[in-house]
C-alpha cells in the first residue's frame, strides 16, 4: 500500500504528467472516466485503421466523420475585399464572408492560441433552421462554384423532423466547428454559446468532450423577454441558455463590473479613512459542536463585555480575529450597541468587480424585442429574425475582458448573423476605452426572395452582417461631429471599422498530375512539363498580386491585420515590407527575381524573405537557401 512517505521518496510520475498534458491538448482523446482512448489516438494517425466500438460516451451517426472533417486541412484562402471594407487603414477588426468551418481552418495558421473570447449564437435546430454543407473538396462542384455565381446562391441542407438524422446533422456541424475553434482560444480563453432548450443537453455533452468536463464554467439563464407569449401551446418560454467553457484550467479572472446599485450598499458611518464600506456577519452558520476551533471569547471594545455566541461558532480563527481588531475591521454598531460584531468590507478592496451570477435579467442584458428595435434603427425593419441584443454580448465581454491587459484582445464570432458581436465590441471599447478586436464569420446564405431583407437590397445574410457594423461606425462618427473630443476618444473613433475578406480558392493551382499508363516514360515526362507550364500560366493569369500576397502571408502565420509598405530601395522588383505587429518579412510575388534583389538578401541574411519559387532558377534558390537558412521561404 502506497504511503505518504512513498510520495516523498518516489521520483515524479512522468507518465502521469504526460497524460495530463495530453488531456490539456486533446481532451477529445479521453473517455468521460478520464482514461486515454487509444483508438482515438489511432484515428488521428489513420482513421481507417480503427473499427468503431461501443463504450460509455456520447455518440451519434456521423460523429467520426465530423471529427475527421474538423482536422482535415484546407487549401482554401481569404481574399481582401477593399470596396466593402470600412476604415481599413486604421482598424484591426475583421469580417469574413464564407463557410465557417473552412474559415476556422484558415485562421488556425495565424490565430492559434490568440483568441481571448468566443461568442456564438448557432442555429437552434428547431426544424426550420438551415445547416451547413461541409463538402468543400476542390475536386467537386460545391461551394466554390456556388459562391462565385452569387445568383445561384448557397445550397444548404435542410433539417426537418422527418429526417432520421435530425439531431445528428446538428451535432455534426457543432462538433467539427467547436473542435477547430478550441485551437484558436488562448490558454485563458473562454467561449460563450447561446442556445435554447431543444439542444442544450446535447450541446453540454459535446462541449464536455471538446473542452473537457472540468472546464465547464456556468450555464447562464438569460431572461430574453419580460412578457409571456400567448401564442405558446403549452408553456411560454421567457429564457434562453448561454453555456460557458474555458479552454484550460489556467487561472482566469471572471468578475462582473460594479454597478451603481451595488456601490449604493456602501457607506462610511464612522468616517473610516479607508473610505466607503459595508459589513457582513461575523458568526458562522456551523454550530459550536461542529467547529470547536472557531469557538472563543471576544471583547466588545465599547463596553468591555466578553462575549461568546450561545450556539454558533465564529467565522474566523482566533489569530484572524486579533488581526481584524488591530486593523479596526470590526463594526459593533454606532456607539457599540450591537450584540455581535460585523466585519467591514471596503469598497476600495472591490476594484476587481463582483462575482457574477448565472441569472442575467433583461434589464442588465437586454431582450429580443430590444435587439429587434436596435437592428431596425441601424439597417431597416424586419431584415433579420431574432437578433441578439448588443447589450447581451457586451455583458459577456465585460465579465471576461475587464482587466487592462485584456482590453487589447481578440473576440471571435463564427456564427455572426446580423453582426451583433461586432456591434457589442465597438460599444464596449467606446465605453471603457478598450482596444478589443473582433473577427466575425458569416456564410453568404441567400435571403428569401420575398423577405424584407431582399426588398431592402440584402441578397445574403453576410451583407446584413457588414451593413449593420458599417451603420454602427457611421452612427458613432455622426455623433462626434461638431464636438470637442479628447485624444482618447479620437483614438477610439480611429479603430472603428473593419476589413472584409472572402473565402476563396487557393491562388496556387493543385499539382495532381497522374501519368498516362498507355504512354511510355518519355511521353509522360513531356506531358508533365506541359502540365507544369499550364499551372504556372494559371498562377500568372488567373490571380492578382494582392491575392497571392494575402494567401502567402496567411500561410506564414500573419494575422489579417498585416500592413504592406512598398520598398523603394528595390528598383528591379516590387518588394513589400509586411508586418502584423508580431511577424515581419519582405515579400515579392514577381515572376522573375532580379540579380540585384537576390544580392541584397544574400548580404542581409538577418531579414526574412518570401518569394515565388518559379521566380528563381536553381542557382539563385540554392544560394539564398544556403545563406539565409530558415529566413528564406519560396512558395
Amino acid at each position: 500500500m502506497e504511503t505518504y512517505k512513498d510520495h516523498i521518496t518516489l521520483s515524479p510520475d512522468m507518465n502521469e504528467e504526460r497524460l495530463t498534458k495530453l488531456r490539456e491538448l486533446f481532451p477529445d482523446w479521453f473517455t468521460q472516466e478520464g482514461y486515454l482512448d487509444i483508438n482515438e489516438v489511432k484515428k488521428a494517425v489513420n482513421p481507417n485503421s480503427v473499427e468503431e466500438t461501443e463504450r460509455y460516451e456520447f455518440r451519434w451517426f456521423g460523429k467520426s466523420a465530423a471529427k475527421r472533417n474538423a482536422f482535415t486541412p484546407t487549401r482554401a484562402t481569404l481574399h481582401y475585399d477593399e470596396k466593402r471594407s470600412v476604415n481599413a487603414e486604421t482598424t484591426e477588426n475583421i469580417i469574413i464572408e464564407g463557410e465557417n468551418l473552412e474559415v476556422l481552418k484558415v485562421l488556425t495558421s495565424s490565430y492559434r492560441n490568440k483568441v481571448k473570447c468566443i461568442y456564438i449564437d448557432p442555429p437552434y435546430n428547431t426544424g426550420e433552421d438551415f445547416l451547413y454543407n461541409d463538402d468543400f473538396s476542390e475536386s467537386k462542384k460545391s461551394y466554390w462554384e456556388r459562391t462565385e455565381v452569387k445568383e445561384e446562391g448557397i445550397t444548404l441542407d435542410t433539417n426537418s423532423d422527418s429526417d432520421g438524422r435530425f439531431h445528428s446533422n446538428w451535432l455534426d456541424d457543432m462538433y467539427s466547428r467547436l473542435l477547430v475553434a478550441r485551437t484558436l482560444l488562448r490558454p485563458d480563453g473562454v467561449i460563450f454559446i447561446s442556445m435554447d432548450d431543444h439542444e442544450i443537453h446535447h450541446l453540454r455533452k459535446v462541449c464536455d468532450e471538446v473542452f473537457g468536463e472540468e472546464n465547464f464554467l456556468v450555464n447562464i439563464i438569460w431572461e430574453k423577454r419580460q412578457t409571456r407569449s400567448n401564442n405558446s401551446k403549452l408553456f411560454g418560454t421567457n429564457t434562453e441558455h448561454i453555456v460557458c467553457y474555458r479552454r484550460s484550467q489556467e487561472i482566469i479572472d471572471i468578475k462582473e463590473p460594479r454597478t451603481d446599485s451595488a456601490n449604493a450598499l456602501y457607506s462610511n458611518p464612522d468616517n473610516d479613512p479607508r473610505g466607503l464600506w459595508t459589513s457582513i456577519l461575523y458568526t458562522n452558520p456551523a454550530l459550536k459542536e461542529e467547529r470547536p476551533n472557531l469557538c472563543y471569547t471576544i471583547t466588545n471594545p465599547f463596553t468591555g463585555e466578553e462575549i461568546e455566541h450561545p450556539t454558533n461558532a465564529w467565522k474566523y480563527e482566533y489569530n484572524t480575529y486579533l488581526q481584524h481588531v488591530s486593523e479596526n475591521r470590526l463594526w459593533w454598531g454606532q456607539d457599540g450597541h450591537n450584540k455581535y460584531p460585523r466585519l467591514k468590507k471596503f469598497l476600495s478592496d472591490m476594484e476587481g468587480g463582483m462575482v457574477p451570477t448565472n441569472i442575467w435579467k433583461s434589464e442588465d442584458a437586454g431582450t429580443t424585442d430590444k435587439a429587434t428595435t436596435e437592428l431596425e434603427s441601424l439597417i431597416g425593419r424586419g431584415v433579420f429574425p431574432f437578433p441578439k441584443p448588443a447589450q447581451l454580448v457586451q455583458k459577456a465581454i465585460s465579465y471576461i475582458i475587464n482587466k487592462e491587459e485584456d482590453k487589447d484582445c481578440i473576440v471571435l464570432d463564427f456564427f455572426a448573423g446580423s453582426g451583433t458581436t461586432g456591434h457589442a465590441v465597438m460599444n464596449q471599447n467606446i465605453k471603457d476605452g478598450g482596444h478589443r478586436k473582433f473577427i466575425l464569420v458569416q456564410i453568404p446564405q441567400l435571403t428569401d426572395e420575398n423577405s424584407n431583407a431582399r426588398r431592402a437590397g440584402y441578397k445574403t445574410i453576410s451583407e446584413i452582417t457588414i451593413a449593420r457594423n458599417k451603420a454602427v461606425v457611421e452612427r458613432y462618427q455622426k455623433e462626434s461631429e461638431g464636438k470637442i473630443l479628447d485624444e482618447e476618444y479620437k483614438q477610439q473613433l480611429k479603430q472603428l471599422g473593419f476589413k472584409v475578406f472572402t473565402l476563396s480558392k487557393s491562388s496556387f493551382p493543385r499539382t495532381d498530375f497522374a501519368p498516362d499508363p498507355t504512354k511510355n516514360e518519355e511521353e509522360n515526362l513531356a506531358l508533365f512539363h506541359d502540365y507544369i507550364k499550364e499551372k504556372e500560366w494559371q498562377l500568372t493569369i488567373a490571380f492578382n498580386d494582392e491575392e497571392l500576397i494575402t494567401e502567402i502571408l496567411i500561410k506564414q502565420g500573419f494575422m489579417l491585420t498585416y500592413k504592406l509598405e512598398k520598398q523603394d530601395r528595390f528598383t528591379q522588383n516590387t518588394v513589400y515590407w509586411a508586418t502584423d505587429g508580431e511577424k515581419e518579412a519582405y515579400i515579392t510575388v514577381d515572376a522573375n527575381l532580379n540579380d540585384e534583389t537576390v544580392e541584397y538578401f544574400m548580404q542581409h541574411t538577418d531579414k526574412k524573405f518570401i518569394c515565388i519559387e518559379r521566380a528563381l532558377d536553381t542557382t539563385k534558390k540554392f544560394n539564398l537557401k544556403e545563406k539565409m537558412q530558415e529566413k528564406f521561404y519560396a512558395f
Side-chain angles (χ1 to χ4, degrees):
M1 182 177 177
E2 194 173 286
T3 65
Y4 173 74
K5 186 176 179 181
D6 292 327
H7 285 287
I8 298 176
T9 58
L10 288 174
S11 64
D13 188 340
M14 299 298 291
N15 198 48
E16 183 62 31
E17 289 181 14
R18 291 194 295 175
L19 285 171
T20 300
K21 190 64 177 177
L22 264 182
R23 180 157 190 175
E24 289 176 3
L25 293 171
F26 311 110
D28 56 288
W29 283 4
F30 288 77
T31 67
Q32 291 191 0
E33 294 83 3
Y35 299 112
L36 179 66
D37 184 350
I38 197 64
N39 282 335
E40 290 297 324
V41 181
K42 289 179 180 178
K43 287 178 187 177
V45 179
N46 181 5
N48 298 322
S49 66
V50 181
E51 292 185 4
E52 294 297 330
T53 57
E54 290 186 359
R55 61 178 172 84
Y56 179 69
E57 63 174 327
F58 182 42
R59 296 191 62 81
W60 64 89
F61 181 80
K63 180 180 181 181
S64 295
K67 190 169 189 176
R68 286 196 299 272
N69 193 23
F71 296 120
T72 300
T74 182
R75 294 191 73 252
T77 187
L78 301 175
H79 286 171
Y80 174 52
D81 187 338
E82 183 178 8
K83 290 183 179 179
R84 293 194 291 170
S85 299
V86 176
N87 298 338
E89 293 302 315
T90 57
T91 187
E92 294 184 88
N93 299 318
I94 305 294
I95 297 179
I96 303 173
E97 184 181 69
E99 196 282 326
N100 56 10
L101 179 58
E102 293 298 290
V103 171
L104 289 172
K105 290 180 182 181
V106 173
L107 292 178
T108 56
S109 297
S110 308
Y111 291 91
R112 184 174 298 183
N113 301 323
K114 289 185 178 178
V115 175
K116 172 65 178 181
C117 180
I118 296 175
Y119 170 82
I120 55 173
D121 181 22
Y124 283 2
N125 203 20
T126 60
E128 299 174 356
D129 295 306
F130 287 95
L131 292 179
Y132 295 79
N133 185 343
D134 284 342
D135 184 7
F136 297 98
S137 171
E138 261 189 296
S139 62
K140 298 180 182 180
K141 293 182 179 179
S142 58
Y143 181 78
W144 308 121
E145 292 185 4
R146 289 196 292 273
T147 54
E148 287 170 3
V149 185
K150 289 293 183 68
E151 285 75 19
E152 295 182 9
I154 310 301
T155 300
L156 300 176
D157 295 331
T158 57
N159 188 38
S160 64
D161 286 309
S162 60
D163 185 349
R165 297 184 65 236
F166 177 71
H167 292 292
S168 296
N169 284 334
W170 186 86
L171 288 166
D172 287 348
D173 287 345
M174 292 302 300
Y175 187 49
S176 56
R177 286 156 180 79
L178 290 174
L179 283 168
V180 184
R182 180 183 177 275
T183 68
L184 301 177
L185 280 173
R186 289 170 18 178
D188 64 344
V190 174
I191 183 170
F192 293 90
I193 308 174
S194 282
M195 189 53 54
D196 70 354
D197 291 333
H198 284 87
E199 295 286 0
I200 183 63
H201 48 303
H202 290 151
L203 177 65
R204 282 286 304 272
K205 291 176 183 177
V206 169
C207 287
D208 282 347
E209 180 169 329
V210 172
F211 299 100
E213 192 173 358
E214 69 279 6
N215 289 319
F216 168 71
L217 290 178
V218 67
N219 178 14
I220 297 163
I221 304 302
W222 167 49
E223 184 186 30
K224 66 178 182 179
R225 65 163 61 97
Q226 295 175 320
T227 57
R228 71 182 67 200
S229 172
N230 289 322
N231 294 326
S232 302
K233 294 180 180 179
L234 296 173
F235 284 87
T237 304
N238 282 28
T239 62
E240 284 186 9
H241 304 264
I242 305 174
V243 174
C244 182
Y245 281 76
R246 58 187 174 184
R247 162 71 188 269
S248 70
Q249 295 197 46
E250 184 168 313
I251 295 174
I252 56 175
D253 184 25
I254 301 179
K255 295 290 185 180
E256 180 178 1
R258 300 198 61 81
T259 62
D260 292 340
S261 59
N263 290 342
L265 299 174
Y266 289 76
S267 60
N268 194 0
D270 62 348
N271 296 317
D272 194 304
R274 289 166 289 190
L276 301 174
W277 55 270
T278 188
S279 63
I280 61 173
L281 287 172
Y282 210 72
T283 51
N284 196 316
L287 299 176
K288 284 185 172 182
E289 297 79 13
E290 297 170 341
R291 302 299 299 273
N293 62 313
L294 299 179
C295 298
Y296 48 84
T297 300
I298 63 176
T299 303
N300 184 325
F302 292 90
T303 64
E305 180 184 2
E306 293 189 345
I307 298 168
E308 188 172 341
H309 199 280
T311 58
N312 292 73
W314 304 114
K315 275 188 178 180
Y316 308 93
E317 294 181 348
Y318 185 67
N319 287 338
T320 304
Y321 157 72
L322 293 177
Q323 182 179 347
H324 290 159
V325 172
S326 67
E327 294 176 351
N328 187 29
R329 283 185 174 266
L330 295 186
W331 171 247
W332 290 86
Q334 209 70 38
D335 301 324
H337 291 317
N338 289 358
K339 188 172 183 179
Y340 304 112
R342 294 175 66 87
L343 181 66
K344 289 183 179 180
K345 291 287 186 179
F346 291 92
L347 181 59
S348 58
D349 295 333
M350 303 293 119
E351 290 180 354
M354 305 183 294
V355 175
T357 70
N358 67 339
I359 297 178
W360 289 7
K361 301 291 288 182
S362 55
E363 57 264 29
D364 299 320
T367 64
T368 51
D369 288 342
K370 181 178 180 179
T372 299
T373 302
E374 179 179 65
L375 186 59
E376 287 178 357
S377 70
L378 290 167
I379 60 174
R381 184 178 179 82
V383 298
F384 188 88
F386 311 117
K388 290 294 187 291
Q391 188 179 355
L392 177 73
V393 184
Q394 272 185 260
K395 191 173 180 68
I397 293 171
S398 66
Y399 276 18
I400 304 303
I401 316 169
N402 53 13
K403 294 188 295 185
E404 286 303 317
E405 59 266 33
D406 283 335
K407 290 183 180 179
D408 188 23
C409 69
I410 298 171
V411 180
L412 169 66
D413 183 350
F414 51 90
F415 284 99
S418 71
T420 301
T421 298
H423 187 171
V425 169
M426 288 189 279
N427 279 356
Q428 192 63 27
N429 283 341
I430 291 290
K431 180 179 180 180
D432 64 12
H435 297 276
R436 307 167 187 85
K437 284 83 70 174
F438 64 74
I439 300 176
L440 308 183
V441 184
Q442 178 58 43
I443 193 170
Q445 177 184 338
L446 282 178
T447 56
D448 188 275
E449 291 183 358
N450 298 316
S451 65
N452 287 338
R454 184 64 68 89
R455 283 189 285 271
Y458 303 116
K459 292 177 64 177
T460 64
I461 300 298
S462 52
E463 290 178 8
I464 295 173
T465 311
I466 293 169
R468 183 211 185 119
N469 283 276
K470 182 179 180 181
V472 173
V473 174
E474 291 172 345
R475 174 175 290 182
Y476 274 118
Q477 290 174 334
K478 186 174 182 180
E479 289 175 354
S480 66
E481 291 177 358
K483 294 181 180 179
I484 300 175
L485 307 175
D486 59 34
E487 194 57 37
E488 182 178 343
Y489 196 83
K490 288 179 182 178
Q491 292 301 317
Q492 290 295 316
L493 290 177
K494 281 185 179 180
Q495 70 181 8
L496 294 176
F498 48 86
K499 294 175 72 175
V500 175
F501 289 82
T502 57
L503 186 68
S504 305
K505 285 182 180 180
S506 172
S507 300
F508 293 89
R510 294 171 67 98
T511 54
D512 49 5
F513 175 80
D516 186 341
T518 65
K519 298 184 182 300
N520 60 35
E521 184 176 347
E522 185 177 346
E523 290 172 326
N524 272 313
L525 185 60
L527 286 175
F528 178 69
H529 285 305
D530 290 340
Y531 177 86
I532 294 298
K533 288 179 181 178
E534 181 185 352
K535 292 298 181 181
E536 288 182 347
W537 177 84
Q538 291 178 16
L539 184 60
T540 304
I541 301 300
F543 301 99
N544 62 44
D545 289 357
E546 188 174 281
E547 291 172 355
L548 282 173
I549 289 173
T550 299
E551 178 169 2
I552 291 170
L553 292 179
I554 290 172
K555 293 184 185 301
Q556 284 286 294
F558 280 71
M559 291 184 287
L560 298 174
T561 52
Y562 69 83
K563 303 291 184 184
L564 288 178
E565 183 180 329
K566 187 178 178 182
Q567 301 297 293
D568 294 332
R569 68 163 61 93
F570 300 99
T571 59
Q572 303 301 314
N573 288 111
T574 303
V575 181
Y576 297 93
W577 171 247
T579 180
D580 64 359
E582 295 183 11
K583 293 180 177 291
E584 53 190 32
Y586 287 91
I587 183 170
T588 179
V589 292
D590 285 357
N592 293 289
L593 209 58
N594 186 270
D595 290 341
E596 177 187 303
T597 306
V598 173
E599 185 59 30
Y600 175 86
F601 289 105
M602 294 280 285
Q603 299 299 322
H604 297 81
T605 56
D606 59 321
K607 303 180 186 299
K608 184 171 182 178
F609 176 53
I610 304 170
C611 68
I612 300 295
E613 188 170 26
R614 65 185 177 85
L616 302 166
D617 60 29
T618 304
T619 302
K620 290 177 180 177
K621 182 178 179 182
F622 175 82
N623 290 338
L624 283 169
K625 189 64 179 175
E626 184 73 15
K627 276 281 190 179
M628 301 187 72
Q629 299 293 322
E630 73 280 356
K631 293 286 187 178
F632 170 68
Y633 201 94
F635 271 82

